[in-house]
Amino acid sequence: MKFIFPQNYSLKSKFLGFLDYSTLFVNLIWIYLVFNISSIFASSLYIHLSIVIIFCLPLILFSILGMNNENILQIIIYLIKYILKPKLYIFYK
């Protein structure tokens, strides 16, 4: 039996079927950094967890919902390239 896959089908392995491993890695690094930085400034556990949730939830939601099925690492690379060389992407007449 032969299976025919469309050419735009992605065979990348994903965590839980919807999150790329590179995106998961970036999210975990961000959560770790925010967790360590907030532990320096926050004394109570409630404030500590609130800071982590406030700074990490938007990135996690953006990673899950995505933008045109691109992972967050590619979007960050696009943004850095645009910041470094904006004339490459915007042409004025």
Side-chain angles (χ1 to χ4, degrees):
M1 182 181 268
K2 274 186 150 180
F3 292 103
I4 300 172
F5 287 103
Q7 289 187 358
N8 61 355
Y9 185 76
S10 176
L11 294 174
K12 293 180 185 177
S13 58
K14 295 184 178 186
F15 180 74
L16 298 177
F18 63 90
L19 195 62
D20 291 336
Y21 282 106
S22 62
T23 303
L24 179 68
F25 185 68
V26 170
N27 285 341
L28 289 176
I29 289 174
W30 178 250
I31 292 170
Y32 179 75
L33 288 173
V34 170
F35 185 79
N36 285 334
I37 292 172
S38 67
S39 66
I40 295 170
F41 298 111
S43 59
S44 79
L45 182 63
Y46 177 74
I47 295 172
H48 180 67
L49 290 176
S50 299
I51 291 171
V52 171
I53 289 171
I54 287 171
F55 284 107
C56 294
L57 187 64
L59 182 66
I60 292 171
L61 288 176
F62 187 70
S63 298
I64 291 172
L65 299 176
M67 189 161 50
N68 296 331
N69 294 327
E70 293 188 18
N71 61 11
I72 193 72
L73 191 60
Q74 290 174 340
I75 294 172
I76 291 171
I77 291 171
Y78 296 152
L79 289 174
I80 290 172
K81 283 182 181 179
Y82 174 74
I83 289 171
L84 295 177
K85 299 177 185 176
K87 292 182 181 180
L88 184 65
Y89 296 102
I90 297 177
F91 295 105
Y92 296 105
K93 289 186 176 183

